[in-house]
Amino acid sequence: MKHAVKQEVFKLMKQHVILKQTIKVSGLILLVALVTKFGNFDILSSDKLVKTCFNSGWLIVFFMVYLASQTFSMEFRFGTIKNLLQKNQQRRTIFFSKLITLVGYSIYLNVVAVVVTICLSMILFPEVSLKQTEVIRTLFANLLGNFVGMWLFASLSLMISLIVTNESLTSMLGIATYFLSSMLAGMQFMLLDKFSWLRWNPLNMLNLSNQLINSGMEKLTQLATNQLLIGNIVYILGFLLIADVVFSRKKI
């Protein structure tokens, strides 16, 4: 397993994925920070943006959704999946080595976002004290909510990539699902008022990040924060289980 994970990390490095995405995430944070500092826009608040890593979460989710949708698709496209199996690697080992790599990489991107945010905050926004409990609590609440939400999409994209054979369609479905779900997440509250049993739908799970910061969201989601967290975890594990079963039975 250790060797298989090293191979997956090497693939990311060889394709320059890690370097490119690290630069893009850091660049986005720097751009938003500079615009906030020197743009004189009243709608941009340094205090709020620091707590959200300068709104870099959406880009990290986008990268992870795309990467999750491609990690198996590319193996099938170039036929390298056969090489992995010929090296006596079990399908379960291949699946979990890719999963472990994706989890580790998602943690890495979030750490990059936090480190760059802290550095820029100290330089450009010294008035925003990172020693304040409220700032740190909100920052990490945002990180937790975004990380869980990110994996809800990433696990779904991983599952879709193994069910749908067309690589381009797989990527489009994963990315489209992300943007459409984000748009519909707020609209579903109207349905929850009439059909309370819908509170367990995956769209409602996307409100975890907001509810971690604003407990008043509980009236809209009709679920306690711990229930939202458990619901997210159940969906993620469910998508990953289906993906594992599909891969173990897929003809190669």
Side-chain angles (χ1 to χ4, degrees):
M1 178 66 73
K2 185 178 180 180
H3 176 68
V5 172
K6 286 183 178 180
Q7 283 185 319
E8 294 301 321
V9 174
F10 176 75
K11 290 176 186 176
L12 292 178
M13 295 178 66
K14 187 177 181 181
Q15 297 168 8
H16 304 294
V17 172
I18 298 177
L19 177 61
K20 290 178 180 178
Q21 294 187 354
T22 299
I23 292 174
K24 289 177 181 178
V25 170
S26 302
L28 174 65
I29 296 174
L30 176 61
L31 177 62
V32 176
L34 290 175
V35 171
T36 303
K37 179 68 175 180
F38 304 107
N40 294 320
F41 294 108
D42 294 334
I43 60 174
L44 297 178
S45 168
S46 59
D47 181 62
K48 293 181 179 179
L49 287 172
V50 167
K51 296 174 184 176
T52 61
C53 290
F54 293 98
N55 288 334
S56 59
W58 69 268
L59 184 60
I60 295 176
V61 174
F62 179 85
F63 284 153
M64 288 307 303
V65 167
Y66 179 78
L67 196 59
S69 67
Q70 292 295 303
T71 186
F72 279 103
S73 297
M74 292 184 66
E75 299 282 10
F76 285 101
R77 176 186 176 187
F78 296 109
T80 51
I81 190 69
K82 294 181 180 179
N83 296 332
L84 292 175
L85 292 173
Q86 288 173 354
K87 292 179 181 178
N88 297 320
Q89 287 194 30
Q90 300 295 322
R91 293 198 182 199
R92 187 61 56 82
T93 300
I94 296 173
F95 181 84
F96 280 101
S97 65
K98 289 183 176 294
L99 179 59
I100 291 171
T101 303
L102 287 173
V103 172
Y105 186 60
S106 65
I107 294 173
Y108 165 77
L109 286 179
N110 279 278
V111 170
V112 168
V114 172
V115 171
V116 175
T117 295
I118 292 175
C119 292
L120 289 177
S121 298
M122 294 173 65
I123 298 172
L124 298 176
F125 308 105
E127 69 276 8
V128 181
S129 177
L130 293 172
K131 295 181 180 180
Q132 294 179 5
T133 304
E134 189 272 336
V135 174
I136 296 298
R137 186 192 70 81
T138 305
L139 175 62
F140 281 96
N142 274 316
L143 284 172
L144 174 61
N146 290 335
F147 186 83
V148 175
M150 172 188 65
W151 265 100
L152 184 63
F153 285 115
S155 59
L156 177 61
S157 297
L158 189 66
M159 181 188 72
I160 293 175
S161 71
L162 287 167
I163 296 176
V164 180
T165 55
N166 187 293
E167 183 180 351
S168 298
L169 182 59
T170 297
S171 299
M172 290 176 60
L173 285 173
I175 295 172
T177 299
Y178 166 56
F179 285 109
L180 288 175
S181 298
S182 299
M183 293 170 59
L184 296 173
M187 298 172 60
Q188 48 120 23
F189 293 135
M190 293 183 292
L191 291 175
L192 293 184
D193 288 336
K194 297 181 179 180
F195 310 102
S196 61
W197 55 272
L198 284 175
R199 63 184 182 275
W200 292 104
N201 79 84
L203 290 179
N204 202 26
M205 300 300 114
L206 299 177
N207 292 300
L208 174 62
S209 181
N210 291 330
Q211 191 161 312
L212 281 169
I213 301 171
N214 180 13
S215 58
M217 284 288 297
E218 188 172 330
K219 296 180 181 179
L220 296 174
T221 63
Q222 299 185 27
L223 290 173
T225 303
N226 63 330
Q227 289 178 311
L228 279 177
L229 179 60
I230 293 172
N232 272 279
I233 293 174
V234 170
Y235 273 112
I236 292 170
L237 293 178
F239 291 147
L240 292 177
L241 177 61
I242 294 173
D244 183 35
V245 172
V246 171
F247 180 61
S248 65
R249 299 180 180 181
K250 197 175 183 69
K251 293 183 179 180
I252 300 175

